[in-house]
Amino acid sequence: MNFFKYIFDRVMALFGLIVLSPVLLIVALLIKVRMPDGPVVFSQERVGRHGKLFTIYKFRTMEKVHSGNSVTVSGEGRITPLGVTLRRYKLDELPELWCVLRGDMSFVGPRPDVPGYADQLQGDDRRILELRPGVTGPASLKYRREEELIAEFVRNQKEDGRWKKEELSGMSDEQIALWYNDQVIYPDKVRINLYYLKHYSFLKDIQMIFCTVLGKKMWYNGEMI
């Protein structure tokens, strides 16, 4: 089954790059015109299968100079207006088809993390590294509004002059966002991705791909994602 998944990924990635080449060109030109202060394509090292590092490629959606924080919050000034649109329709992730074609990624799997997250997993959770990172996946579907969720959590922490969580008192918005990601969102993603590993289904993969493209939800592991 894993071999079939691998072949499916490579064939469909090549097909996607050919069919979507006009879209790739148009997006690249828009970025060049609207965001001329930096490269069209953003590249970064991510943790791949078995903990091996690989380079991921995405269309650039941020200003050339920013804080470098790995957790992005909806509404941040570093995301350009064009970048907001590209992220909303997942167009920024189209260059990842090249990563799938190379075999570094799969269409469905855990989203590839920057060093310091997936490579630090312990015990049974570390089995997630047996999977190739995915363009989409169950955790990606559940947290498709991740940036908005983080922004909402940050806004809601201080109410009537009092902190809802005392441990966050005095933290900057960026620090609160990072805490929420590390303590709440990321552990839940690990749980979902571990379930995906242990209950793999090619039909579910196809369903997740369609739900990603169409912006739909699906029932998975006892919850709507």
Side-chain angles (χ1 to χ4, degrees):
M1 180 63 74
N2 287 335
F3 178 75
F4 181 73
K5 176 181 173 72
Y6 181 71
I7 296 300
F8 172 84
D9 285 338
R10 302 289 289 274
V11 171
M12 293 308 297
L14 179 59
F15 177 76
L17 285 169
I18 294 173
V19 172
L20 295 174
S21 56
V23 178
L24 290 162
L25 179 59
I26 292 172
V27 173
L29 290 174
L30 285 173
I31 294 173
K32 197 64 179 177
V33 172
R34 301 284 294 276
M35 298 187 287
D37 62 335
V40 170
V41 175
F42 165 80
S43 63
Q44 187 181 53
E45 277 198 336
R46 297 289 179 93
V47 178
R49 193 183 187 199
H50 303 312
K52 181 181 177 181
L53 294 179
F54 74 98
T55 302
I56 193 173
Y57 299 97
K58 304 175 72 172
F59 281 126
R60 184 168 65 90
T61 59
M62 299 184 184
E63 298 290 353
K64 184 179 179 181
V65 179
H66 59 77
S67 65
N69 183 25
S70 61
V71 178
T72 307
V73 179
S74 177
E76 283 187 302
R78 62 178 177 167
I79 304 176
T80 67
L82 175 59
V84 171
T85 300
L86 295 179
R87 283 170 174 254
R88 180 181 300 133
Y89 297 103
K90 304 299 182 182
L91 295 174
D92 61 314
E93 296 178 4
L94 287 180
E96 291 175 26
L97 290 172
W98 173 246
C99 300
V100 177
L101 182 62
R102 292 191 314 180
D104 292 326
M105 293 180 65
S106 173
F107 274 104
V108 181
R111 285 298 296 167
D113 290 308
V114 295
Y117 281 91
D119 50 330
Q120 299 299 316
L121 292 172
Q122 301 295 323
D124 196 42
D125 291 346
R126 193 164 179 81
R127 290 193 59 200
I128 293 173
L129 293 177
E130 296 174 17
L131 295 165
R132 283 186 176 82
V135 177
T136 187
S140 300
L141 287 174
K142 180 175 181 178
Y143 289 102
R144 69 185 80 200
R145 294 179 53 249
E146 180 177 338
E147 295 171 8
E148 296 175 29
L149 291 173
I150 293 175
E152 183 178 353
F153 179 82
V154 172
R155 287 194 303 268
N156 291 341
Q157 276 318 290
K158 197 170 185 182
E159 191 174 76
D160 299 328
R162 293 177 297 178
W163 289 85
K164 289 185 176 180
K165 286 187 175 294
E166 193 60 36
E167 59 192 296
L168 302 182
S169 177
M171 286 189 183
S172 66
D173 288 356
E174 189 174 271
Q175 289 172 324
I176 295 173
L178 187 61
W179 180 92
Y180 185 59
N181 176 77
D182 292 355
Q183 301 300 319
V184 179
I185 293 180
Y186 188 72
D188 192 44
K189 286 182 177 180
V190 171
R191 175 189 64 82
I192 296 170
N193 288 326
L194 195 58
Y195 179 89
Y196 172 80
L197 170 68
K198 295 178 178 179
H199 302 84
Y200 173 74
S201 166
F202 181 72
L203 291 179
K204 285 292 184 182
D205 270 12
I206 299 300
Q207 187 178 1
M208 288 178 202
I209 292 172
F210 275 104
C211 285
T212 299
V213 173
L214 300 176
K216 302 294 185 179
K217 292 188 176 183
M218 61 179 282
W219 191 257
Y220 188 77
N221 189 22
E223 61 180 329
M224 189 66 69
I225 61 173

